mmCIF file of all heavy atoms in Angstrom:
data_model
loop_
_atom_site.group_PDB
_atom_site.id
_atom_site.type_symbol
_atom_site.label_atom_id
_atom_site.label_comp_id
_atom_site.label_asym_id
_atom_site.label_seq_id
_atom_site.Cartn_x
_atom_site.Cartn_y
_atom_site.Cartn_z
ATOM 1 N N MET F 1308 -5.303 -4.575 -2.670
ATOM 2 C CA MET F 1308 -4.816 -3.683 -1.647
ATOM 3 C C MET F 1308 -3.615 -2.889 -2.155
ATOM 4 O O MET F 1308 -3.446 -1.732 -1.789
ATOM 5 C CB MET F 1308 -4.437 -4.479 -0.401
ATOM 6 C CG MET F 1308 -4.129 -3.590 0.762
ATOM 7 S SD MET F 1308 -3.982 -4.418 2.337
ATOM 8 C CE MET F 1308 -5.482 -5.307 2.466
ATOM 9 N N LEU F 1309 -2.820 -3.525 -2.989
ATOM 10 C CA LEU F 1309 -1.682 -2.807 -3.566
ATOM 11 C C LEU F 1309 -2.175 -1.666 -4.448
ATOM 12 O O LEU F 1309 -1.554 -0.602 -4.500
ATOM 13 C CB LEU F 1309 -0.804 -3.767 -4.364
ATOM 14 C CG LEU F 1309 0.497 -3.206 -4.919
ATOM 15 C CD1 LEU F 1309 1.355 -2.659 -3.799
ATOM 16 C CD2 LEU F 1309 1.251 -4.258 -5.689
ATOM 17 N N GLY F 1310 -3.299 -1.868 -5.099
ATOM 18 C CA GLY F 1310 -3.890 -0.804 -5.914
ATOM 19 C C GLY F 1310 -4.276 0.402 -5.084
ATOM 20 O O GLY F 1310 -4.073 1.550 -5.498
ATOM 21 N N TRP F 1311 -4.828 0.161 -3.901
ATOM 22 C CA TRP F 1311 -5.185 1.270 -3.014
ATOM 23 C C TRP F 1311 -3.943 2.000 -2.538
ATOM 24 O O TRP F 1311 -3.926 3.230 -2.434
ATOM 25 C CB TRP F 1311 -5.978 0.761 -1.810
ATOM 26 C CG TRP F 1311 -7.401 0.497 -2.139
ATOM 27 C CD1 TRP F 1311 -7.980 -0.723 -2.309
ATOM 28 C CD2 TRP F 1311 -8.426 1.461 -2.364
ATOM 29 N NE1 TRP F 1311 -9.304 -0.566 -2.618
ATOM 30 C CE2 TRP F 1311 -9.602 0.770 -2.659
ATOM 31 C CE3 TRP F 1311 -8.450 2.850 -2.346
ATOM 32 C CZ2 TRP F 1311 -10.797 1.411 -2.924
ATOM 33 C CZ3 TRP F 1311 -9.638 3.493 -2.614
ATOM 34 C CH2 TRP F 1311 -10.794 2.769 -2.893
ATOM 35 N N ALA F 1312 -2.877 1.244 -2.227
ATOM 36 C CA ALA F 1312 -1.632 1.876 -1.788
ATOM 37 C C ALA F 1312 -1.075 2.764 -2.894
ATOM 38 O O ALA F 1312 -0.634 3.887 -2.638
ATOM 39 C CB ALA F 1312 -0.616 0.819 -1.383
ATOM 40 N N LEU F 1313 -1.109 2.278 -4.121
ATOM 41 C CA LEU F 1313 -0.629 3.079 -5.247
ATOM 42 C C LEU F 1313 -1.503 4.307 -5.465
ATOM 43 O O LEU F 1313 -1.008 5.388 -5.782
ATOM 44 C CB LEU F 1313 -0.580 2.233 -6.516
ATOM 45 C CG LEU F 1313 0.524 1.179 -6.556
ATOM 46 C CD1 LEU F 1313 0.380 0.313 -7.797
ATOM 47 C CD2 LEU F 1313 1.883 1.817 -6.507
ATOM 48 N N THR F 1314 -2.806 4.153 -5.282
ATOM 49 C CA THR F 1314 -3.719 5.283 -5.440
ATOM 50 C C THR F 1314 -3.406 6.384 -4.428
ATOM 51 O O THR F 1314 -3.315 7.558 -4.789
ATOM 52 C CB THR F 1314 -5.177 4.818 -5.261
ATOM 53 O OG1 THR F 1314 -5.461 3.803 -6.228
ATOM 54 C CG2 THR F 1314 -6.141 5.975 -5.407
ATOM 55 N N PHE F 1315 -3.233 6.004 -3.159
ATOM 56 C CA PHE F 1315 -2.916 7.000 -2.143
ATOM 57 C C PHE F 1315 -1.537 7.607 -2.373
ATOM 58 O O PHE F 1315 -1.308 8.779 -2.085
ATOM 59 C CB PHE F 1315 -3.018 6.410 -0.735
ATOM 60 C CG PHE F 1315 -4.433 6.356 -0.226
ATOM 61 C CD1 PHE F 1315 -5.110 5.162 -0.142
ATOM 62 C CD2 PHE F 1315 -5.083 7.510 0.155
ATOM 63 C CE1 PHE F 1315 -6.414 5.110 0.310
ATOM 64 C CE2 PHE F 1315 -6.388 7.479 0.619
ATOM 65 C CZ PHE F 1315 -7.056 6.274 0.691
ATOM 66 N N PHE F 1316 -0.598 6.823 -2.904
ATOM 67 C CA PHE F 1316 0.724 7.357 -3.214
ATOM 68 C C PHE F 1316 0.637 8.406 -4.308
ATOM 69 O O PHE F 1316 1.252 9.467 -4.222
ATOM 70 C CB PHE F 1316 1.659 6.214 -3.631
ATOM 71 C CG PHE F 1316 3.026 6.672 -4.028
ATOM 72 C CD1 PHE F 1316 3.892 7.175 -3.076
ATOM 73 C CD2 PHE F 1316 3.446 6.604 -5.341
ATOM 74 C CE1 PHE F 1316 5.153 7.602 -3.437
ATOM 75 C CE2 PHE F 1316 4.700 7.026 -5.712
ATOM 76 C CZ PHE F 1316 5.566 7.528 -4.751
ATOM 77 N N ILE F 1317 -0.160 8.139 -5.329
ATOM 78 C CA ILE F 1317 -0.333 9.105 -6.420
ATOM 79 C C ILE F 1317 -1.032 10.360 -5.909
ATOM 80 O O ILE F 1317 -0.663 11.483 -6.278
ATOM 81 C CB ILE F 1317 -1.092 8.459 -7.591
ATOM 82 C CG1 ILE F 1317 -0.208 7.406 -8.257
ATOM 83 C CG2 ILE F 1317 -1.526 9.504 -8.606
ATOM 84 C CD1 ILE F 1317 -0.909 6.542 -9.274
ATOM 85 N N ILE F 1318 -2.030 10.194 -5.049
ATOM 86 C CA ILE F 1318 -2.698 11.350 -4.450
ATOM 87 C C ILE F 1318 -1.689 12.175 -3.652
ATOM 88 O O ILE F 1318 -1.694 13.413 -3.715
ATOM 89 C CB ILE F 1318 -3.878 10.905 -3.559
ATOM 90 C CG1 ILE F 1318 -5.012 10.346 -4.423
ATOM 91 C CG2 ILE F 1318 -4.381 12.055 -2.697
ATOM 92 C CD1 ILE F 1318 -6.120 9.695 -3.633
ATOM 93 N N ALA F 1319 -0.812 11.500 -2.919
ATOM 94 C CA ALA F 1319 0.199 12.213 -2.134
ATOM 95 C C ALA F 1319 1.148 12.980 -3.044
ATOM 96 O O ALA F 1319 1.525 14.122 -2.749
ATOM 97 C CB ALA F 1319 0.982 11.224 -1.268
ATOM 98 N N LEU F 1320 1.548 12.381 -4.162
ATOM 99 C CA LEU F 1320 2.437 13.070 -5.093
ATOM 100 C C LEU F 1320 1.778 14.307 -5.685
ATOM 101 O O LEU F 1320 2.380 15.386 -5.743
ATOM 102 C CB LEU F 1320 2.862 12.126 -6.218
ATOM 103 C CG LEU F 1320 3.864 11.044 -5.849
ATOM 104 C CD1 LEU F 1320 4.123 10.146 -7.048
ATOM 105 C CD2 LEU F 1320 5.147 11.652 -5.362
ATOM 106 N N ILE F 1321 0.534 14.161 -6.117
ATOM 107 C CA ILE F 1321 -0.183 15.290 -6.717
ATOM 108 C C ILE F 1321 -0.395 16.395 -5.677
ATOM 109 O O ILE F 1321 -0.186 17.576 -5.966
ATOM 110 C CB ILE F 1321 -1.521 14.821 -7.322
ATOM 111 C CG1 ILE F 1321 -1.260 13.915 -8.527
ATOM 112 C CG2 ILE F 1321 -2.380 16.004 -7.725
ATOM 113 C CD1 ILE F 1321 -2.496 13.219 -9.059
ATOM 114 N N ALA F 1322 -0.792 16.014 -4.475
ATOM 115 C CA ALA F 1322 -1.020 17.006 -3.425
ATOM 116 C C ALA F 1322 0.286 17.709 -3.061
ATOM 117 O O ALA F 1322 0.298 18.913 -2.798
ATOM 118 C CB ALA F 1322 -1.631 16.342 -2.194
ATOM 119 N N GLY F 1323 1.385 16.974 -3.056
ATOM 120 C CA GLY F 1323 2.675 17.585 -2.756
ATOM 121 C C GLY F 1323 3.099 18.580 -3.813
ATOM 122 O O GLY F 1323 3.624 19.661 -3.505
ATOM 123 N N VAL F 1324 2.856 18.239 -5.084
ATOM 124 C CA VAL F 1324 3.207 19.150 -6.179
ATOM 125 C C VAL F 1324 2.361 20.417 -6.118
ATOM 126 O O VAL F 1324 2.849 21.520 -6.373
ATOM 127 C CB VAL F 1324 3.042 18.436 -7.546
ATOM 128 C CG1 VAL F 1324 3.112 19.414 -8.690
ATOM 129 C CG2 VAL F 1324 4.095 17.362 -7.709
ATOM 130 N N LEU F 1325 1.102 20.269 -5.755
ATOM 131 C CA LEU F 1325 0.197 21.417 -5.702
ATOM 132 C C LEU F 1325 0.335 22.226 -4.411
ATOM 133 O O LEU F 1325 -0.293 23.270 -4.279
ATOM 134 C CB LEU F 1325 -1.253 20.955 -5.878
ATOM 135 C CG LEU F 1325 -1.571 20.335 -7.238
ATOM 136 C CD1 LEU F 1325 -3.019 19.838 -7.260
ATOM 137 C CD2 LEU F 1325 -1.335 21.321 -8.366
ATOM 138 N N GLY F 1326 1.129 21.751 -3.468
ATOM 139 C CA GLY F 1326 1.384 22.513 -2.257
ATOM 140 C C GLY F 1326 0.487 22.196 -1.072
ATOM 141 O O GLY F 1326 0.468 22.933 -0.099
ATOM 142 N N PHE F 1327 -0.260 21.129 -1.132
ATOM 143 C CA PHE F 1327 -1.112 20.733 -0.015
ATOM 144 C C PHE F 1327 -0.330 19.759 0.869
ATOM 145 O O PHE F 1327 -0.451 18.544 0.740
ATOM 146 C CB PHE F 1327 -2.399 20.078 -0.509
ATOM 147 C CG PHE F 1327 -3.252 20.979 -1.347
ATOM 148 C CD1 PHE F 1327 -3.364 20.785 -2.714
ATOM 149 C CD2 PHE F 1327 -3.933 22.030 -0.764
ATOM 150 C CE1 PHE F 1327 -4.146 21.616 -3.490
ATOM 151 C CE2 PHE F 1327 -4.726 22.863 -1.531
ATOM 152 C CZ PHE F 1327 -4.829 22.662 -2.898
ATOM 153 N N GLY F 1328 0.466 20.292 1.783
ATOM 154 C CA GLY F 1328 1.358 19.472 2.595
ATOM 155 C C GLY F 1328 0.641 18.515 3.522
ATOM 156 O O GLY F 1328 1.054 17.372 3.685
ATOM 157 N N GLY F 1329 -0.439 18.963 4.150
ATOM 158 C CA GLY F 1329 -1.168 18.105 5.084
ATOM 159 C C GLY F 1329 -1.804 16.911 4.396
ATOM 160 O O GLY F 1329 -1.727 15.788 4.888
ATOM 161 N N ILE F 1330 -2.426 17.169 3.276
ATOM 162 C CA ILE F 1330 -3.063 16.083 2.520
ATOM 163 C C ILE F 1330 -2.006 15.133 1.981
ATOM 164 O O ILE F 1330 -2.187 13.914 1.997
ATOM 165 C CB ILE F 1330 -3.923 16.655 1.376
ATOM 166 C CG1 ILE F 1330 -5.076 17.467 1.959
ATOM 167 C CG2 ILE F 1330 -4.448 15.539 0.485
ATOM 168 C CD1 ILE F 1330 -5.869 18.231 0.921
ATOM 169 N N ALA F 1331 -0.897 15.682 1.517
ATOM 170 C CA ALA F 1331 0.182 14.840 0.983
ATOM 171 C C ALA F 1331 0.748 13.943 2.073
ATOM 172 O O ALA F 1331 0.988 12.753 1.843
ATOM 173 C CB ALA F 1331 1.274 15.711 0.384
ATOM 174 N N GLY F 1332 0.946 14.492 3.252
ATOM 175 C CA GLY F 1332 1.476 13.694 4.352
ATOM 176 C C GLY F 1332 0.524 12.594 4.783
ATOM 177 O O GLY F 1332 0.944 11.467 5.039
ATOM 178 N N ALA F 1333 -0.749 12.937 4.867
ATOM 179 C CA ALA F 1333 -1.746 11.941 5.268
ATOM 180 C C ALA F 1333 -1.857 10.837 4.228
ATOM 181 O O ALA F 1333 -1.903 9.647 4.571
ATOM 182 C CB ALA F 1333 -3.099 12.610 5.468
ATOM 183 N N SER F 1334 -1.870 11.196 2.960
ATOM 184 C CA SER F 1334 -1.976 10.195 1.899
ATOM 185 C C SER F 1334 -0.740 9.311 1.847
ATOM 186 O O SER F 1334 -0.840 8.105 1.625
ATOM 187 C CB SER F 1334 -2.176 10.871 0.542
ATOM 188 O OG SER F 1334 -3.408 11.534 0.498
ATOM 189 N N ALA F 1335 0.417 9.899 2.057
ATOM 190 C CA ALA F 1335 1.646 9.112 2.069
ATOM 191 C C ALA F 1335 1.651 8.138 3.241
ATOM 192 O O ALA F 1335 2.075 6.985 3.097
ATOM 193 C CB ALA F 1335 2.856 10.023 2.130
ATOM 194 N N GLY F 1336 1.165 8.575 4.384
ATOM 195 C CA GLY F 1336 1.080 7.689 5.541
ATOM 196 C C GLY F 1336 0.136 6.526 5.307
ATOM 197 O O GLY F 1336 0.446 5.379 5.652
ATOM 198 N N ILE F 1337 -1.017 6.817 4.726
ATOM 199 C CA ILE F 1337 -1.978 5.755 4.412
ATOM 200 C C ILE F 1337 -1.381 4.791 3.402
ATOM 201 O O ILE F 1337 -1.529 3.567 3.533
ATOM 202 C CB ILE F 1337 -3.294 6.360 3.895
ATOM 203 C CG1 ILE F 1337 -4.001 7.109 5.016
ATOM 204 C CG2 ILE F 1337 -4.214 5.270 3.346
ATOM 205 C CD1 ILE F 1337 -5.186 7.934 4.539
ATOM 206 N N ALA F 1338 -0.691 5.310 2.404
ATOM 207 C CA ALA F 1338 -0.069 4.453 1.396
ATOM 208 C C ALA F 1338 0.976 3.543 2.029
ATOM 209 O O ALA F 1338 1.059 2.352 1.693
ATOM 210 C CB ALA F 1338 0.561 5.298 0.290
ATOM 211 N N GLN F 1339 1.762 4.061 2.955
ATOM 212 C CA GLN F 1339 2.770 3.238 3.617
ATOM 213 C C GLN F 1339 2.122 2.132 4.438
ATOM 214 O O GLN F 1339 2.580 0.985 4.405
ATOM 215 C CB GLN F 1339 3.635 4.104 4.526
ATOM 216 C CG GLN F 1339 4.615 4.971 3.782
ATOM 217 C CD GLN F 1339 5.402 5.868 4.714
ATOM 218 O OE1 GLN F 1339 4.976 6.122 5.844
ATOM 219 N NE2 GLN F 1339 6.527 6.356 4.242
ATOM 220 N N ILE F 1340 1.083 2.466 5.169
ATOM 221 C CA ILE F 1340 0.404 1.467 5.996
ATOM 222 C C ILE F 1340 -0.191 0.375 5.122
ATOM 223 O O ILE F 1340 -0.040 -0.824 5.402
ATOM 224 C CB ILE F 1340 -0.675 2.123 6.873
ATOM 225 C CG1 ILE F 1340 -0.019 3.000 7.940
ATOM 226 C CG2 ILE F 1340 -1.572 1.083 7.527
ATOM 227 C CD1 ILE F 1340 -0.977 3.902 8.679
ATOM 228 N N LEU F 1341 -0.876 0.755 4.052
ATOM 229 C CA LEU F 1341 -1.482 -0.235 3.168
ATOM 230 C C LEU F 1341 -0.420 -1.105 2.496
ATOM 231 O O LEU F 1341 -0.615 -2.310 2.322
ATOM 232 C CB LEU F 1341 -2.342 0.458 2.109
ATOM 233 C CG LEU F 1341 -3.638 1.061 2.610
ATOM 234 C CD1 LEU F 1341 -4.341 1.813 1.479
ATOM 235 C CD2 LEU F 1341 -4.552 -0.006 3.175
ATOM 236 N N PHE F 1342 0.721 -0.519 2.138
ATOM 237 C CA PHE F 1342 1.775 -1.299 1.510
ATOM 238 C C PHE F 1342 2.351 -2.322 2.481
ATOM 239 O O PHE F 1342 2.592 -3.475 2.107
ATOM 240 C CB PHE F 1342 2.887 -0.382 0.986
ATOM 241 C CG PHE F 1342 3.962 -1.124 0.258
ATOM 242 C CD1 PHE F 1342 3.731 -1.618 -1.009
ATOM 243 C CD2 PHE F 1342 5.195 -1.336 0.850
ATOM 244 C CE1 PHE F 1342 4.709 -2.309 -1.681
ATOM 245 C CE2 PHE F 1342 6.179 -2.026 0.188
ATOM 246 C CZ PHE F 1342 5.942 -2.517 -1.086
ATOM 247 N N VAL F 1343 2.546 -1.937 3.732
ATOM 248 C CA VAL F 1343 3.065 -2.871 4.733
ATOM 249 C C VAL F 1343 2.075 -4.008 4.954
ATOM 250 O O VAL F 1343 2.469 -5.182 5.027
ATOM 251 C CB VAL F 1343 3.384 -2.138 6.050
ATOM 252 C CG1 VAL F 1343 3.655 -3.114 7.181
ATOM 253 C CG2 VAL F 1343 4.565 -1.208 5.858
ATOM 254 N N ILE F 1344 0.793 -3.693 5.042
ATOM 255 C CA ILE F 1344 -0.222 -4.732 5.211
ATOM 256 C C ILE F 1344 -0.215 -5.668 4.010
ATOM 257 O O ILE F 1344 -0.291 -6.898 4.163
ATOM 258 C CB ILE F 1344 -1.616 -4.106 5.414
ATOM 259 C CG1 ILE F 1344 -1.685 -3.404 6.767
ATOM 260 C CG2 ILE F 1344 -2.714 -5.160 5.322
ATOM 261 C CD1 ILE F 1344 -2.936 -2.582 6.970
ATOM 262 N N PHE F 1345 -0.083 -5.119 2.794
ATOM 263 C CA PHE F 1345 -0.026 -5.941 1.599
ATOM 264 C C PHE F 1345 1.161 -6.894 1.645
ATOM 265 O O PHE F 1345 1.032 -8.077 1.345
ATOM 266 C CB PHE F 1345 0.062 -5.051 0.350
ATOM 267 C CG PHE F 1345 0.386 -5.810 -0.900
ATOM 268 C CD1 PHE F 1345 -0.589 -6.548 -1.543
ATOM 269 C CD2 PHE F 1345 1.670 -5.798 -1.420
ATOM 270 C CE1 PHE F 1345 -0.294 -7.262 -2.694
ATOM 271 C CE2 PHE F 1345 1.978 -6.508 -2.563
ATOM 272 C CZ PHE F 1345 0.993 -7.235 -3.205
ATOM 273 N N VAL F 1346 2.320 -6.390 2.020
ATOM 274 C CA VAL F 1346 3.525 -7.230 2.065
ATOM 275 C C VAL F 1346 3.371 -8.336 3.102
ATOM 276 O O VAL F 1346 3.729 -9.491 2.849
ATOM 277 C CB VAL F 1346 4.781 -6.366 2.338
ATOM 278 C CG1 VAL F 1346 5.986 -7.223 2.638
ATOM 279 C CG2 VAL F 1346 5.067 -5.461 1.157
ATOM 280 N N VAL F 1347 2.822 -8.008 4.261
ATOM 281 C CA VAL F 1347 2.627 -9.019 5.305
ATOM 282 C C VAL F 1347 1.669 -10.110 4.823
ATOM 283 O O VAL F 1347 1.934 -11.310 4.996
ATOM 284 C CB VAL F 1347 2.119 -8.362 6.609
ATOM 285 C CG1 VAL F 1347 1.630 -9.398 7.606
ATOM 286 C CG2 VAL F 1347 3.210 -7.500 7.217
ATOM 287 N N LEU F 1348 0.561 -9.707 4.210
ATOM 288 C CA LEU F 1348 -0.390 -10.704 3.709
ATOM 289 C C LEU F 1348 0.203 -11.529 2.580
ATOM 290 O O LEU F 1348 -0.053 -12.732 2.478
ATOM 291 C CB LEU F 1348 -1.676 -10.011 3.248
ATOM 292 C CG LEU F 1348 -2.535 -9.415 4.360
ATOM 293 C CD1 LEU F 1348 -3.726 -8.670 3.758
ATOM 294 C CD2 LEU F 1348 -3.008 -10.493 5.299
ATOM 295 N N PHE F 1349 1.023 -10.911 1.736
ATOM 296 C CA PHE F 1349 1.665 -11.637 0.641
ATOM 297 C C PHE F 1349 2.634 -12.691 1.175
ATOM 298 O O PHE F 1349 2.635 -13.837 0.722
ATOM 299 C CB PHE F 1349 2.387 -10.659 -0.282
ATOM 300 C CG PHE F 1349 3.081 -11.314 -1.427
ATOM 301 C CD1 PHE F 1349 2.366 -11.872 -2.464
ATOM 302 C CD2 PHE F 1349 4.469 -11.367 -1.466
ATOM 303 C CE1 PHE F 1349 3.004 -12.482 -3.524
ATOM 304 C CE2 PHE F 1349 5.118 -11.978 -2.520
ATOM 305 C CZ PHE F 1349 4.388 -12.539 -3.555
ATOM 306 N N VAL F 1350 3.439 -12.316 2.159
ATOM 307 C CA VAL F 1350 4.385 -13.265 2.752
ATOM 308 C C VAL F 1350 3.632 -14.389 3.454
ATOM 309 O O VAL F 1350 4.009 -15.561 3.346
ATOM 310 C CB VAL F 1350 5.347 -12.537 3.715
ATOM 311 C CG1 VAL F 1350 6.169 -13.520 4.527
ATOM 312 C CG2 VAL F 1350 6.259 -11.607 2.933
ATOM 313 N N ALA F 1351 2.566 -14.063 4.165
ATOM 314 C CA ALA F 1351 1.758 -15.093 4.822
ATOM 315 C C ALA F 1351 1.157 -16.041 3.795
ATOM 316 O O ALA F 1351 1.118 -17.261 4.008
ATOM 317 C CB ALA F 1351 0.660 -14.452 5.660
ATOM 318 N N SER F 1352 0.723 -15.505 2.663
ATOM 319 C CA SER F 1352 0.175 -16.336 1.602
ATOM 320 C C SER F 1352 1.233 -17.271 1.026
ATOM 321 O O SER F 1352 0.961 -18.454 0.776
ATOM 322 C CB SER F 1352 -0.398 -15.454 0.499
ATOM 323 O OG SER F 1352 -0.810 -16.221 -0.593
ATOM 324 N N LEU F 1353 2.434 -16.764 0.829
ATOM 325 C CA LEU F 1353 3.521 -17.607 0.327
ATOM 326 C C LEU F 1353 3.861 -18.720 1.313
ATOM 327 O O LEU F 1353 4.083 -19.874 0.896
ATOM 328 C CB LEU F 1353 4.760 -16.768 0.051
ATOM 329 C CG LEU F 1353 4.712 -15.841 -1.150
ATOM 330 C CD1 LEU F 1353 6.008 -15.034 -1.239
ATOM 331 C CD2 LEU F 1353 4.511 -16.630 -2.423
ATOM 332 N N ILE F 1354 3.892 -18.415 2.585
ATOM 333 C CA ILE F 1354 4.207 -19.428 3.602
ATOM 334 C C ILE F 1354 3.113 -20.481 3.641
ATOM 335 O O ILE F 1354 3.406 -21.683 3.716
ATOM 336 C CB ILE F 1354 4.405 -18.752 4.976
ATOM 337 C CG1 ILE F 1354 5.682 -17.920 4.960
ATOM 338 C CG2 ILE F 1354 4.451 -19.791 6.093
ATOM 339 C CD1 ILE F 1354 5.869 -17.051 6.190
ATOM 340 N N MET F 1355 1.860 -20.066 3.611
ATOM 341 C CA MET F 1355 0.756 -21.026 3.629
ATOM 342 C C MET F 1355 0.769 -21.926 2.400
ATOM 343 O O MET F 1355 0.507 -23.122 2.507
ATOM 344 C CB MET F 1355 -0.585 -20.292 3.734
ATOM 345 C CG MET F 1355 -0.765 -19.547 5.043
ATOM 346 S SD MET F 1355 -0.613 -20.616 6.473
ATOM 347 C CE MET F 1355 -2.245 -21.290 6.504
ATOM 348 N N ARG F 1356 1.117 -21.365 1.245
ATOM 349 C CA ARG F 1356 1.178 -22.173 0.035
ATOM 350 C C ARG F 1356 2.320 -23.175 0.119
ATOM 351 O O ARG F 1356 2.185 -24.315 -0.323
ATOM 352 C CB ARG F 1356 1.356 -21.289 -1.191
ATOM 353 C CG ARG F 1356 1.367 -22.058 -2.479
ATOM 354 C CD ARG F 1356 1.407 -21.124 -3.654
ATOM 355 N NE ARG F 1356 0.117 -20.485 -3.835
ATOM 356 C CZ ARG F 1356 -0.720 -20.799 -4.811
ATOM 357 N NH1 ARG F 1356 -0.398 -21.715 -5.685
ATOM 358 N NH2 ARG F 1356 -1.872 -20.186 -4.922
ATOM 359 N N ALA F 1357 3.446 -22.779 0.702
ATOM 360 C CA ALA F 1357 4.595 -23.680 0.839
ATOM 361 C C ALA F 1357 4.296 -24.795 1.832
ATOM 362 O O ALA F 1357 4.728 -25.931 1.642
ATOM 363 C CB ALA F 1357 5.820 -22.888 1.286
ATOM 364 N N VAL F 1358 3.543 -24.488 2.893
ATOM 365 C CA VAL F 1358 3.203 -25.492 3.898
ATOM 366 C C VAL F 1358 2.243 -26.518 3.319
ATOM 367 O O VAL F 1358 2.376 -27.723 3.551
ATOM 368 C CB VAL F 1358 2.611 -24.822 5.155
ATOM 369 C CG1 VAL F 1358 2.000 -25.843 6.098
ATOM 370 C CG2 VAL F 1358 3.675 -23.991 5.860
ATOM 371 N N ARG F 1359 1.275 -26.047 2.536
ATOM 372 C CA ARG F 1359 0.285 -26.974 1.954
ATOM 373 C C ARG F 1359 0.866 -27.823 0.822
ATOM 374 O O ARG F 1359 0.371 -28.913 0.565
ATOM 375 C CB ARG F 1359 -0.894 -26.186 1.406
ATOM 376 C CG ARG F 1359 -1.773 -25.644 2.479
ATOM 377 C CD ARG F 1359 -3.042 -25.148 1.888
ATOM 378 N NE ARG F 1359 -3.542 -24.024 2.653
ATOM 379 C CZ ARG F 1359 -4.517 -23.251 2.271
ATOM 380 N NH1 ARG F 1359 -5.088 -23.444 1.110
ATOM 381 N NH2 ARG F 1359 -4.921 -22.267 3.037
ATOM 382 N N GLY F 1360 1.835 -27.296 0.146
ATOM 383 C CA GLY F 1360 2.464 -28.092 -0.914
ATOM 384 C C GLY F 1360 2.120 -27.741 -2.292
ATOM 385 O O GLY F 1360 1.525 -27.033 -2.898
#
């Protein structure tokens, strides 16, 4: 999932450089959402591993 977030971030950067503001904004938003989901799942995984031992 982190790979997808990075992919959308790179798409947003390229679109921003080329002047496609709408696409850049949408890609940046998707990248942010995917990154937050990744962090939440990562923290949940760490907690579950600590609980199990």
